[in-house]
PDB file of all heavy atoms in Angstrom:
ATOM      1  N   PHE A  20     -40.906  -8.372 -36.899  1.00 97.00           N
ATOM      2  CA  PHE A  20     -39.429  -8.068 -36.742  1.00 97.00           C
ATOM      3  C   PHE A  20     -38.669  -9.100 -37.466  1.00 97.00           C
ATOM      4  O   PHE A  20     -39.057 -10.308 -37.652  1.00 97.00           O
ATOM      5  CB  PHE A  20     -39.173  -8.050 -35.299  1.00 97.00           C
ATOM      6  CG  PHE A  20     -39.819  -7.059 -34.580  1.00 97.00           C
ATOM      7  CD1 PHE A  20     -41.041  -7.254 -33.818  1.00 97.00           C
ATOM      8  CD2 PHE A  20     -39.413  -5.696 -34.549  1.00 97.00           C
ATOM      9  CE1 PHE A  20     -41.706  -6.293 -33.119  1.00 97.00           C
ATOM     10  CE2 PHE A  20     -40.145  -4.677 -33.889  1.00 97.00           C
ATOM     11  CZ  PHE A  20     -41.314  -4.998 -33.191  1.00 97.00           C
ATOM     12  N   GLY A  21     -37.494  -8.665 -37.888  1.00 96.00           N
ATOM     13  CA  GLY A  21     -36.512  -9.652 -38.528  1.00 96.00           C
ATOM     14  C   GLY A  21     -36.519  -9.560 -40.046  1.00 96.00           C
ATOM     15  O   GLY A  21     -35.724 -10.166 -40.673  1.00 96.00           O
ATOM     16  N   TYR A  22     -37.358  -8.678 -40.674  1.00 97.00           N
ATOM     17  CA  TYR A  22     -37.353  -8.572 -42.143  1.00 97.00           C
ATOM     18  C   TYR A  22     -37.167  -7.179 -42.693  1.00 97.00           C
ATOM     19  O   TYR A  22     -37.337  -6.934 -43.797  1.00 97.00           O
ATOM     20  CB  TYR A  22     -38.723  -9.199 -42.640  1.00 97.00           C
ATOM     21  CG  TYR A  22     -38.833 -10.670 -42.349  1.00 97.00           C
ATOM     22  CD1 TYR A  22     -39.408 -11.223 -41.113  1.00 97.00           C
ATOM     23  CD2 TYR A  22     -38.370 -11.572 -43.212  1.00 97.00           C
ATOM     24  CE1 TYR A  22     -39.431 -12.513 -40.792  1.00 97.00           C
ATOM     25  CE2 TYR A  22     -38.404 -12.971 -43.021  1.00 97.00           C
ATOM     26  CZ  TYR A  22     -38.910 -13.387 -41.713  1.00 97.00           C
ATOM     27  OH  TYR A  22     -39.010 -14.774 -41.460  1.00 97.00           O
ATOM     28  N   GLN A  23     -36.743  -6.304 -41.830  1.00 97.00           N
ATOM     29  CA  GLN A  23     -36.542  -4.899 -42.255  1.00 97.00           C
ATOM     30  C   GLN A  23     -35.412  -4.873 -43.218  1.00 97.00           C
ATOM     31  O   GLN A  23     -35.341  -4.030 -44.131  1.00 97.00           O
ATOM     32  CB  GLN A  23     -36.264  -3.956 -41.136  1.00 97.00           C
ATOM     33  CG  GLN A  23     -37.445  -3.757 -40.191  1.00 97.00           C
ATOM     34  CD  GLN A  23     -37.163  -2.761 -39.208  1.00 97.00           C
ATOM     35  OE1 GLN A  23     -37.174  -1.550 -39.481  1.00 97.00           O
ATOM     36  NE2 GLN A  23     -36.863  -3.046 -37.958  1.00 97.00           N
ATOM     37  N   ARG A  24     -34.432  -5.707 -43.163  1.00 97.00           N
ATOM     38  CA  ARG A  24     -33.392  -5.788 -44.139  1.00 97.00           C
ATOM     39  C   ARG A  24     -33.828  -6.066 -45.513  1.00 97.00           C
ATOM     40  O   ARG A  24     -33.137  -5.799 -46.565  1.00 97.00           O
ATOM     41  CB  ARG A  24     -32.193  -6.716 -43.699  1.00 97.00           C
ATOM     42  CG  ARG A  24     -32.632  -8.100 -43.641  1.00 97.00           C
ATOM     43  CD  ARG A  24     -31.720  -8.985 -42.838  1.00 97.00           C
ATOM     44  NE  ARG A  24     -30.366  -9.052 -43.521  1.00 97.00           N
ATOM     45  CZ  ARG A  24     -30.068 -10.126 -44.313  1.00 97.00           C
ATOM     46  NH1 ARG A  24     -30.869 -11.154 -44.463  1.00 97.00           N
ATOM     47  NH2 ARG A  24     -28.905 -10.130 -44.781  1.00 97.00           N
ATOM     48  N   PHE A  25     -35.007  -6.622 -45.654  1.00 97.00           N
ATOM     49  CA  PHE A  25     -35.560  -7.030 -46.910  1.00 97.00           C
ATOM     50  C   PHE A  25     -36.640  -5.946 -47.318  1.00 97.00           C
ATOM     51  O   PHE A  25     -37.472  -6.161 -48.221  1.00 97.00           O
ATOM     52  CB  PHE A  25     -36.241  -8.324 -46.949  1.00 97.00           C
ATOM     53  CG  PHE A  25     -35.320  -9.498 -46.754  1.00 97.00           C
ATOM     54  CD1 PHE A  25     -35.432 -10.343 -45.748  1.00 97.00           C
ATOM     55  CD2 PHE A  25     -34.098  -9.599 -47.448  1.00 97.00           C
ATOM     56  CE1 PHE A  25     -34.658 -11.442 -45.421  1.00 97.00           C
ATOM     57  CE2 PHE A  25     -33.235 -10.639 -47.366  1.00 97.00           C
ATOM     58  CZ  PHE A  25     -33.531 -11.512 -46.247  1.00 97.00           C
ATOM     59  N   GLY A  26     -36.689  -4.813 -46.560  1.00 97.00           N
ATOM     60  CA  GLY A  26     -37.581  -3.784 -46.950  1.00 97.00           C
ATOM     61  C   GLY A  26     -38.999  -3.885 -46.318  1.00 97.00           C
ATOM     62  O   GLY A  26     -39.946  -3.328 -46.793  1.00 97.00           O
ATOM     63  N   ILE A 184     -35.259  12.790 -28.729  1.00 98.00           N
ATOM     64  CA  ILE A 184     -33.867  12.745 -28.709  1.00 98.00           C
ATOM     65  C   ILE A 184     -33.333  13.307 -30.000  1.00 98.00           C
ATOM     66  O   ILE A 184     -33.887  12.869 -31.010  1.00 98.00           O
ATOM     67  CB  ILE A 184     -33.498  11.256 -28.534  1.00 98.00           C
ATOM     68  CG1 ILE A 184     -33.985  10.702 -27.245  1.00 98.00           C
ATOM     69  CG2 ILE A 184     -31.923  11.128 -28.643  1.00 98.00           C
ATOM     70  CD1 ILE A 184     -33.892   9.212 -27.129  1.00 98.00           C
ATOM     71  N   LEU A 232     -28.172  10.165 -47.985  1.00 87.00           N
ATOM     72  CA  LEU A 232     -28.306   8.900 -48.526  1.00 87.00           C
ATOM     73  C   LEU A 232     -29.218   8.159 -47.545  1.00 87.00           C
ATOM     74  O   LEU A 232     -29.155   8.215 -46.363  1.00 87.00           O
ATOM     75  CB  LEU A 232     -26.852   8.241 -48.394  1.00 87.00           C
ATOM     76  CG  LEU A 232     -25.879   8.750 -49.439  1.00 87.00           C
ATOM     77  CD1 LEU A 232     -24.454   8.108 -49.199  1.00 87.00           C
ATOM     78  CD2 LEU A 232     -26.387   8.377 -50.853  1.00 87.00           C
ATOM     79  N   SER A 233     -30.171   7.345 -48.175  1.00 89.00           N
ATOM     80  CA  SER A 233     -31.174   6.708 -47.303  1.00 89.00           C
ATOM     81  C   SER A 233     -30.510   5.903 -46.164  1.00 89.00           C
ATOM     82  O   SER A 233     -29.483   5.241 -46.311  1.00 89.00           O
ATOM     83  CB  SER A 233     -31.909   5.723 -48.174  1.00 89.00           C
ATOM     84  OG  SER A 233     -32.787   6.452 -49.112  1.00 89.00           O
ATOM     85  N   ASP A 234     -31.092   6.052 -44.987  1.00 93.00           N
ATOM     86  CA  ASP A 234     -30.696   5.107 -43.938  1.00 93.00           C
ATOM     87  C   ASP A 234     -32.000   4.679 -43.202  1.00 93.00           C
ATOM     88  O   ASP A 234     -33.053   5.112 -43.432  1.00 93.00           O
ATOM     89  CB  ASP A 234     -29.696   5.835 -42.947  1.00 93.00           C
ATOM     90  CG  ASP A 234     -30.237   7.107 -42.304  1.00 93.00           C
ATOM     91  OD1 ASP A 234     -31.460   7.376 -42.317  1.00 93.00           O
ATOM     92  OD2 ASP A 234     -29.439   7.841 -41.632  1.00 93.00           O
ATOM     93  N   ALA A 259     -36.416   2.409 -44.643  1.00 92.00           N
ATOM     94  CA  ALA A 259     -35.351   3.317 -44.883  1.00 92.00           C
ATOM     95  C   ALA A 259     -35.827   4.522 -45.576  1.00 92.00           C
ATOM     96  O   ALA A 259     -36.809   4.397 -46.358  1.00 92.00           O
ATOM     97  CB  ALA A 259     -34.172   2.713 -45.637  1.00 92.00           C
ATOM     98  N   VAL A 267     -35.965  12.030 -32.705  1.00 98.00           N
ATOM     99  CA  VAL A 267     -36.876  10.889 -32.692  1.00 98.00           C
ATOM    100  C   VAL A 267     -37.681  11.049 -31.386  1.00 98.00           C
ATOM    101  O   VAL A 267     -37.164  11.291 -30.271  1.00 98.00           O
ATOM    102  CB  VAL A 267     -35.994   9.621 -32.534  1.00 98.00           C
ATOM    103  CG1 VAL A 267     -36.934   8.373 -32.492  1.00 98.00           C
ATOM    104  CG2 VAL A 267     -35.068   9.458 -33.763  1.00 98.00           C
ATOM    105  N   ILE A 269     -39.549  10.017 -28.135  1.00 98.00           N
ATOM    106  CA  ILE A 269     -39.147   8.890 -27.211  1.00 98.00           C
ATOM    107  C   ILE A 269     -40.296   7.844 -27.194  1.00 98.00           C
ATOM    108  O   ILE A 269     -41.409   8.205 -27.308  1.00 98.00           O
ATOM    109  CB  ILE A 269     -38.671   9.406 -25.859  1.00 98.00           C
ATOM    110  CG1 ILE A 269     -39.897   9.772 -25.101  1.00 98.00           C
ATOM    111  CG2 ILE A 269     -37.617  10.559 -25.908  1.00 98.00           C
ATOM    112  CD1 ILE A 269     -39.523  10.089 -23.583  1.00 98.00           C
ATOM    113  N   ARG A 270     -39.880   6.641 -26.932  1.00 98.00           N
ATOM    114  CA  ARG A 270     -40.767   5.546 -26.962  1.00 98.00           C
ATOM    115  C   ARG A 270     -41.973   5.770 -25.933  1.00 98.00           C
ATOM    116  O   ARG A 270     -43.150   5.477 -26.311  1.00 98.00           O
ATOM    117  CB  ARG A 270     -40.055   4.285 -26.592  1.00 98.00           C
ATOM    118  CG  ARG A 270     -40.604   3.024 -27.064  1.00 98.00           C
ATOM    119  CD  ARG A 270     -39.537   2.109 -27.205  1.00 98.00           C
ATOM    120  NE  ARG A 270     -40.029   0.680 -27.226  1.00 98.00           N
ATOM    121  CZ  ARG A 270     -39.351  -0.391 -27.638  1.00 98.00           C
ATOM    122  NH1 ARG A 270     -38.158  -0.345 -28.195  1.00 98.00           N
ATOM    123  NH2 ARG A 270     -39.941  -1.569 -27.569  1.00 98.00           N
ATOM    124  N   GLN A 297     -34.910   6.530 -21.735  1.00 98.00           N
ATOM    125  CA  GLN A 297     -35.005   5.081 -21.377  1.00 98.00           C
ATOM    126  C   GLN A 297     -35.573   4.955 -19.845  1.00 98.00           C
ATOM    127  O   GLN A 297     -36.294   4.010 -19.685  1.00 98.00           O
ATOM    128  CB  GLN A 297     -33.562   4.455 -21.554  1.00 98.00           C
ATOM    129  CG  GLN A 297     -33.174   4.473 -22.937  1.00 98.00           C
ATOM    130  CD  GLN A 297     -31.830   3.777 -23.260  1.00 98.00           C
ATOM    131  OE1 GLN A 297     -31.010   3.644 -22.366  1.00 98.00           O
ATOM    132  NE2 GLN A 297     -31.632   3.418 -24.407  1.00 98.00           N
ATOM    133  N   ARG A 301     -38.768   2.729 -19.085  1.00 97.00           N
ATOM    134  CA  ARG A 301     -38.823   1.659 -18.103  1.00 97.00           C
ATOM    135  C   ARG A 301     -39.852   1.866 -17.046  1.00 97.00           C
ATOM    136  O   ARG A 301     -40.550   0.992 -16.567  1.00 97.00           O
ATOM    137  CB  ARG A 301     -37.448   1.644 -17.470  1.00 97.00           C
ATOM    138  CG  ARG A 301     -36.423   1.078 -18.469  1.00 97.00           C
ATOM    139  CD  ARG A 301     -34.963   1.050 -17.911  1.00 97.00           C
ATOM    140  NE  ARG A 301     -33.988   0.770 -19.032  1.00 97.00           N
ATOM    141  CZ  ARG A 301     -32.854   1.232 -19.171  1.00 97.00           C
ATOM    142  NH1 ARG A 301     -32.419   2.126 -18.281  1.00 97.00           N
ATOM    143  NH2 ARG A 301     -32.156   0.941 -20.194  1.00 97.00           N
TER     144      ARG A 301
ATOM    145  N   GLY B  13     -33.028   7.637 -31.558  1.00 98.00           N
ATOM    146  CA  GLY B  13     -33.994   7.472 -30.534  1.00 98.00           C
ATOM    147  C   GLY B  13     -33.542   6.656 -29.419  1.00 98.00           C
ATOM    148  O   GLY B  13     -32.254   6.544 -29.208  1.00 98.00           O
ATOM    149  N   ASP B  14     -34.456   6.140 -28.608  1.00 98.00           N
ATOM    150  CA  ASP B  14     -33.897   5.447 -27.280  1.00 98.00           C
ATOM    151  C   ASP B  14     -33.891   3.930 -27.503  1.00 98.00           C
ATOM    152  O   ASP B  14     -33.754   3.199 -26.509  1.00 98.00           O
ATOM    153  CB  ASP B  14     -34.983   5.778 -26.127  1.00 98.00           C
ATOM    154  CG  ASP B  14     -36.355   5.593 -26.493  1.00 98.00           C
ATOM    155  OD1 ASP B  14     -36.663   4.799 -27.483  1.00 98.00           O
ATOM    156  OD2 ASP B  14     -37.261   6.226 -25.872  1.00 98.00           O
ATOM    157  N   SER B  15     -34.024   3.432 -28.731  1.00 98.00           N
ATOM    158  CA  SER B  15     -34.113   1.981 -28.886  1.00 98.00           C
ATOM    159  C   SER B  15     -33.164   1.655 -30.151  1.00 98.00           C
ATOM    160  O   SER B  15     -33.378   0.402 -30.590  1.00 98.00           O
ATOM    161  CB  SER B  15     -35.544   1.504 -29.093  1.00 98.00           C
ATOM    162  OG  SER B  15     -36.365   2.043 -28.151  1.00 98.00           O
ATOM    163  N   ILE B  25     -21.649   6.877 -51.626  1.00 90.00           N
ATOM    164  CA  ILE B  25     -22.010   5.618 -52.149  1.00 90.00           C
ATOM    165  C   ILE B  25     -20.787   4.936 -52.599  1.00 90.00           C
ATOM    166  O   ILE B  25     -20.146   5.417 -53.621  1.00 90.00           O
ATOM    167  CB  ILE B  25     -23.133   5.708 -53.284  1.00 90.00           C
ATOM    168  CG1 ILE B  25     -24.399   6.373 -52.681  1.00 90.00           C
ATOM    169  CG2 ILE B  25     -23.408   4.348 -53.842  1.00 90.00           C
ATOM    170  CD1 ILE B  25     -25.496   6.438 -53.708  1.00 90.00           C
ATOM    171  N   GLU B  50     -33.042  -6.519 -34.662  1.00 94.00           N
ATOM    172  CA  GLU B  50     -32.495  -6.725 -36.100  1.00 94.00           C
ATOM    173  C   GLU B  50     -31.627  -5.511 -36.492  1.00 94.00           C
ATOM    174  O   GLU B  50     -32.137  -4.370 -36.307  1.00 94.00           O
ATOM    175  CB  GLU B  50     -33.608  -7.048 -37.104  1.00 94.00           C
ATOM    176  CG  GLU B  50     -34.600  -5.828 -37.147  1.00 94.00           C
ATOM    177  CD  GLU B  50     -35.876  -6.176 -38.053  1.00 94.00           C
ATOM    178  OE1 GLU B  50     -35.648  -6.581 -39.086  1.00 94.00           O
ATOM    179  OE2 GLU B  50     -36.910  -5.971 -37.471  1.00 94.00           O
ATOM    180  N   ALA B  54     -28.098   0.065 -44.775  1.00 96.00           N
ATOM    181  CA  ALA B  54     -28.356   1.028 -45.806  1.00 96.00           C
ATOM    182  C   ALA B  54     -27.083   1.376 -46.567  1.00 96.00           C
ATOM    183  O   ALA B  54     -26.110   0.599 -46.338  1.00 96.00           O
ATOM    184  CB  ALA B  54     -28.899   2.304 -45.158  1.00 96.00           C
ATOM    185  N   SER B  57     -24.667   3.142 -43.745  1.00 97.00           N
ATOM    186  CA  SER B  57     -24.945   3.020 -42.232  1.00 97.00           C
ATOM    187  C   SER B  57     -25.749   1.786 -41.900  1.00 97.00           C
ATOM    188  O   SER B  57     -26.361   1.187 -42.738  1.00 97.00           O
ATOM    189  CB  SER B  57     -25.744   4.277 -41.763  1.00 97.00           C
ATOM    190  OG  SER B  57     -27.105   4.166 -42.408  1.00 97.00           O
ATOM    191  N   TYR B  62     -32.214  -2.125 -30.502  1.00 98.00           N
ATOM    192  CA  TYR B  62     -32.130  -2.925 -29.164  1.00 98.00           C
ATOM    193  C   TYR B  62     -33.214  -2.585 -28.310  1.00 98.00           C
ATOM    194  O   TYR B  62     -33.979  -1.654 -28.474  1.00 98.00           O
ATOM    195  CB  TYR B  62     -30.698  -2.538 -28.608  1.00 98.00           C
ATOM    196  CG  TYR B  62     -30.569  -1.084 -28.074  1.00 98.00           C
ATOM    197  CD1 TYR B  62     -30.855  -0.760 -26.780  1.00 98.00           C
ATOM    198  CD2 TYR B  62     -30.082  -0.105 -28.950  1.00 98.00           C
ATOM    199  CE1 TYR B  62     -30.770   0.575 -26.324  1.00 98.00           C
ATOM    200  CE2 TYR B  62     -30.009   1.162 -28.528  1.00 98.00           C
ATOM    201  CZ  TYR B  62     -30.296   1.524 -27.213  1.00 98.00           C
ATOM    202  OH  TYR B  62     -30.159   2.849 -26.812  1.00 98.00           O
ATOM    203  N   PRO B  64     -34.578  -1.261 -24.991  1.00 97.00           N
ATOM    204  CA  PRO B  64     -34.086  -0.445 -23.803  1.00 97.00           C
ATOM    205  C   PRO B  64     -34.402  -0.945 -22.490  1.00 97.00           C
ATOM    206  O   PRO B  64     -33.937  -0.442 -21.521  1.00 97.00           O
ATOM    207  CB  PRO B  64     -34.749   0.886 -24.112  1.00 97.00           C
ATOM    208  CG  PRO B  64     -35.944   0.589 -24.948  1.00 97.00           C
ATOM    209  CD  PRO B  64     -35.608  -0.601 -25.789  1.00 97.00           C
ATOM    210  N   LEU B  67     -30.940  -3.178 -22.241  1.00 95.00           N
ATOM    211  CA  LEU B  67     -29.692  -2.497 -22.449  1.00 95.00           C
ATOM    212  C   LEU B  67     -29.786  -1.009 -22.508  1.00 95.00           C
ATOM    213  O   LEU B  67     -30.870  -0.488 -22.827  1.00 95.00           O
ATOM    214  CB  LEU B  67     -29.099  -2.789 -23.818  1.00 95.00           C
ATOM    215  CG  LEU B  67     -28.766  -4.284 -24.217  1.00 95.00           C
ATOM    216  CD1 LEU B  67     -28.634  -4.303 -25.670  1.00 95.00           C
ATOM    217  CD2 LEU B  67     -27.465  -4.695 -23.621  1.00 95.00           C
ATOM    218  N   ASP B  68     -28.759  -0.283 -21.967  1.00 96.00           N
ATOM    219  CA  ASP B  68     -28.843   1.154 -22.277  1.00 96.00           C
ATOM    220  C   ASP B  68     -27.975   1.450 -23.519  1.00 96.00           C
ATOM    221  O   ASP B  68     -27.243   0.629 -24.006  1.00 96.00           O
ATOM    222  CB  ASP B  68     -28.376   2.021 -20.993  1.00 96.00           C
ATOM    223  CG  ASP B  68     -26.990   1.750 -20.534  1.00 96.00           C
ATOM    224  OD1 ASP B  68     -26.097   1.432 -21.363  1.00 96.00           O
ATOM    225  OD2 ASP B  68     -26.789   1.869 -19.341  1.00 96.00           O
ATOM    226  N   MET B 136     -28.697  -1.948 -50.709  1.00 96.00           N
ATOM    227  CA  MET B 136     -29.704  -2.053 -49.624  1.00 96.00           C
ATOM    228  C   MET B 136     -31.002  -2.473 -50.251  1.00 96.00           C
ATOM    229  O   MET B 136     -31.163  -2.392 -51.447  1.00 96.00           O
ATOM    230  CB  MET B 136     -29.797  -0.713 -48.859  1.00 96.00           C
ATOM    231  CG  MET B 136     -30.207   0.431 -49.722  1.00 96.00           C
ATOM    232  SD  MET B 136     -30.246   2.018 -48.790  1.00 96.00           S
ATOM    233  CE  MET B 136     -31.699   1.842 -47.918  1.00 96.00           C
ATOM    234  N   ILE B 137     -31.934  -2.786 -49.334  1.00 96.00           N
ATOM    235  CA  ILE B 137     -33.263  -3.115 -49.856  1.00 96.00           C
ATOM    236  C   ILE B 137     -34.289  -2.271 -49.049  1.00 96.00           C
ATOM    237  O   ILE B 137     -34.175  -2.167 -47.851  1.00 96.00           O
ATOM    238  CB  ILE B 137     -33.576  -4.671 -49.659  1.00 96.00           C
ATOM    239  CG1 ILE B 137     -32.671  -5.410 -50.612  1.00 96.00           C
ATOM    240  CG2 ILE B 137     -35.080  -4.964 -49.999  1.00 96.00           C
ATOM    241  CD1 ILE B 137     -32.776  -6.930 -50.607  1.00 96.00           C
ATOM    242  N   PRO B 141     -41.172  -3.494 -49.873  1.00 95.00           N
ATOM    243  CA  PRO B 141     -40.657  -4.816 -49.532  1.00 95.00           C
ATOM    244  C   PRO B 141     -39.984  -5.479 -50.866  1.00 95.00           C
ATOM    245  O   PRO B 141     -40.487  -5.479 -51.883  1.00 95.00           O
ATOM    246  CB  PRO B 141     -41.794  -5.685 -49.191  1.00 95.00           C
ATOM    247  CG  PRO B 141     -42.888  -4.565 -48.679  1.00 95.00           C
ATOM    248  CD  PRO B 141     -42.625  -3.375 -49.535  1.00 95.00           C
ATOM    249  N   GLY B 142     -38.648  -5.817 -50.685  1.00 95.00           N
ATOM    250  CA  GLY B 142     -37.904  -6.494 -51.704  1.00 95.00           C
ATOM    251  C   GLY B 142     -37.328  -5.579 -52.775  1.00 95.00           C
ATOM    252  O   GLY B 142     -36.672  -6.081 -53.747  1.00 95.00           O
ATOM    253  N   GLU B 204     -39.491 -18.074 -47.620  1.00 94.00           N
ATOM    254  CA  GLU B 204     -38.574 -17.802 -46.630  1.00 94.00           C
ATOM    255  C   GLU B 204     -37.145 -17.932 -47.179  1.00 94.00           C
ATOM    256  O   GLU B 204     -36.791 -19.135 -47.509  1.00 94.00           O
ATOM    257  CB  GLU B 204     -38.760 -18.684 -45.330  1.00 94.00           C
ATOM    258  CG  GLU B 204     -37.735 -18.436 -44.212  1.00 94.00           C
ATOM    259  CD  GLU B 204     -37.774 -16.997 -43.763  1.00 94.00           C
ATOM    260  OE1 GLU B 204     -38.913 -16.432 -43.658  1.00 94.00           O
ATOM    261  OE2 GLU B 204     -36.758 -16.520 -43.422  1.00 94.00           O
ATOM    262  N   SER B 207     -37.585 -12.288 -49.788  1.00 96.00           N
ATOM    263  CA  SER B 207     -36.859 -11.496 -50.895  1.00 96.00           C
ATOM    264  C   SER B 207     -35.867 -12.320 -51.532  1.00 96.00           C
ATOM    265  O   SER B 207     -35.074 -13.056 -50.983  1.00 96.00           O
ATOM    266  CB  SER B 207     -36.181 -10.279 -50.256  1.00 96.00           C
ATOM    267  OG  SER B 207     -35.465  -9.549 -51.220  1.00 96.00           O
ATOM    268  N   PRO B 211     -29.248  -7.823 -49.008  1.00 95.00           N
ATOM    269  CA  PRO B 211     -28.314  -6.736 -49.055  1.00 95.00           C
ATOM    270  C   PRO B 211     -26.912  -7.370 -49.124  1.00 95.00           C
ATOM    271  O   PRO B 211     -26.627  -8.171 -48.438  1.00 95.00           O
ATOM    272  CB  PRO B 211     -28.522  -5.996 -47.716  1.00 95.00           C
ATOM    273  CG  PRO B 211     -29.843  -6.455 -47.157  1.00 95.00           C
ATOM    274  CD  PRO B 211     -30.068  -7.732 -47.740  1.00 95.00           C
TER     275      PRO B 211
END
Side-chain angles (χ1 to χ4, degrees):
Chain A
F20 298 99
Y22 294 89
Q23 289 186 80
R24 62 196 293 264
F25 298 125
I184 296 165
L232 289 177
S233 288
D234 62 10
V267 180
I269 75 168
R270 205 152 154 163
Q297 294 182 338
R301 288 170 192 150
Chain B
D14 51 21
S15 310
I25 298 180
E50 58 189 309
S57 65
Y62 65 93
L67 297 161
D68 62 30
M136 57 185 285
I137 294 177
E204 182 58 40
S207 174

